Amino acid sequence: MEALKECRANLVVYLHPQKAKRVKDAVYRELSSLLFKFNEALDGVVLTYEPKFSSNLAKILPGIHPYFGVRFEAKLLLFYPKPEMLLEGEVVKVGQQSIHIIVLGFASAFIADEDIREDFKYKIKHGKEVYISRSDKKHRIKVGTTLRFLVKSFDEEMLHVCGSLIQTNTGSVQWLERKAEESQADSVTEKRISNKRPVEVLETDNLVPYSEKLKSENHIKKSRRSENRDS
C-alpha cells in the first residue's frame, strides 16, 4: 500500500525521577500513547514502533528539573495518505449514494456517488446492495469486498479519508489482480509466438520417395560399371 512507510526517528521522552528504575517500561508506555494518532512532527499516523536504546540511556536536562530526558532511536511504521495515492480497505457499507470502507482496521473512508465511475451500476441482488460493472458482470463491489481506491483528501484529526473510484485502476482488488494476471499471461503467449522462427515448407511436387531415390542411385552405379567393362 502506497500510504505506508517506515522511518527512523531520534526521539526524546521526559520522565519523572520516580520512573528512573524502570526507564524502558516508561518509554514504551509513552510510545504507546502515540499509536493511531496523527503526529505532525512525523507527518503520519504511528502504527508500530521499535525503539533502540543506546548505552547512555538517560541524561538530566537543564531547565526542566526534576525531569530527565531519555534519548533513543525508534523504527516507526507510519500511515500517511496523500491525494492521488492508492489505498485498500474492506467495504463495510454499500448504499445508493455512497460506499463506506475501513482501512487497516482503524481509519474510515467514504466514497460519494459522484466519485463512483459510471461503469458501476447500483443494484439490490438477493436483498443485498451491490455495485456491478456494466462492462464485466464479475466485477462487483459489496460488503466484505477488498476495495482499491484513490485518495482525494485526509482528515488528520478524524482519521477519515475521502476517496474516488473514477480511475480505471480502482475497484475490487480480487478482480483487478485477476485481470492483471490474465493480461500478463496473454503478453507472455504473444511474446512466445513472435519469437518462433518461420518453418520452411517444402513443396510436395519436388519431393522424391526414398525407394525411388534408391532405385535411381542403383541404376546409375550399374551404368557406370558396364561402361568400365566396355572400356
Side-chain angles (χ1 to χ4, degrees):
M1 191 183 298
E2 292 181 341
L4 291 177
K5 69 174 179 180
E6 283 189 352
C7 74
R8 294 185 179 274
N10 295 314
L11 304 175
V12 180
V13 172
Y14 302 103
L15 302 176
H16 193 274
Q18 290 178 340
K19 300 178 180 179
K21 292 184 179 181
R22 305 188 68 178
V23 171
K24 288 188 178 182
D25 291 343
V27 169
Y28 275 104
R29 194 155 38 247
E30 290 293 326
L31 286 173
S32 296
S33 67
L34 300 177
L35 291 176
F36 305 112
K37 297 176 184 177
F38 186 84
N39 188 296
E40 290 186 3
L42 299 171
D43 190 29
V45 180
V46 180
L47 301 182
T48 64
Y49 57 80
E50 185 180 333
K52 181 181 179 181
F53 300 103
S54 63
S55 56
N56 298 323
L57 190 61
K59 182 179 180 182
I60 302 297
L61 299 179
I64 58 170
H65 182 77
Y67 289 86
F68 62 93
V70 179
R71 300 180 183 274
F72 60 94
E73 183 185 82
K75 184 169 71 173
L76 307 171
L77 179 63
L78 301 177
F79 176 64
Y80 71 117
K82 303 292 183 183
E84 304 302 316
M85 279 187 176
L86 288 172
L87 286 185
E88 293 179 7
E90 182 180 352
V91 176
V92 293
K93 183 179 179 182
V94 174
Q96 191 168 4
Q97 304 297 325
S98 61
I99 298 173
H100 298 258
I101 309 108
I102 290 293
V103 180
L104 297 175
F106 74 93
S108 61
F110 172 85
I111 302 175
D113 177 55
E114 61 266 22
D115 293 315
I116 301 173
R117 62 181 179 270
E118 293 183 359
D119 181 56
F120 285 110
K121 185 178 181 180
Y122 172 82
K123 288 186 177 182
I124 298 179
K125 287 280 189 179
H126 308 294
K128 296 182 179 180
E129 296 173 292
V130 60
Y131 279 91
I132 302 176
S133 169
R134 290 182 171 90
S135 57
D136 188 342
K137 303 297 183 184
K138 293 181 180 179
H139 191 185
R140 301 188 174 197
I141 299 172
K142 58 185 179 180
V143 172
T145 298
T146 300
L147 193 67
R148 183 177 298 159
F149 59 96
L150 205 71
V151 176
K152 289 184 65 180
S153 63
F154 177 55
D155 187 319
E156 299 169 353
E157 184 177 350
M158 300 295 294
L159 302 183
H160 183 79
V161 180
C162 286
S164 170
L165 287 174
I166 298 295
Q167 298 72 17
T168 56
N169 62 338
T170 59
S172 166
V173 171
Q174 183 179 5
W175 184 88
L176 290 169
E177 290 181 348
R178 186 173 67 248
K179 280 297 178 182
E181 290 174 359
E182 291 174 358
S183 177
Q184 185 176 6
D186 291 342
S187 177
V188 171
T189 302
E190 290 176 3
K191 188 175 180 180
R192 287 177 179 173
I193 293 173
S194 63
N195 288 338
K196 285 184 177 180
R197 295 180 179 178
V199 180
E200 293 183 2
V201 179
L202 298 175
E203 295 181 4
T204 55
D205 294 342
N206 296 329
L207 295 178
V208 179
Y210 184 69
S211 58
E212 292 185 10
K213 185 178 181 182
L214 285 177
K215 289 180 182 179
S216 176
E217 290 177 353
N218 290 334
H219 179 71
I220 293 171
K221 288 179 181 179
K222 289 179 180 179
S223 299
R224 288 178 178 173
R225 287 175 186 172
S226 59
E227 288 176 0
N228 290 334
R229 288 174 185 174
D230 293 339
S231 60

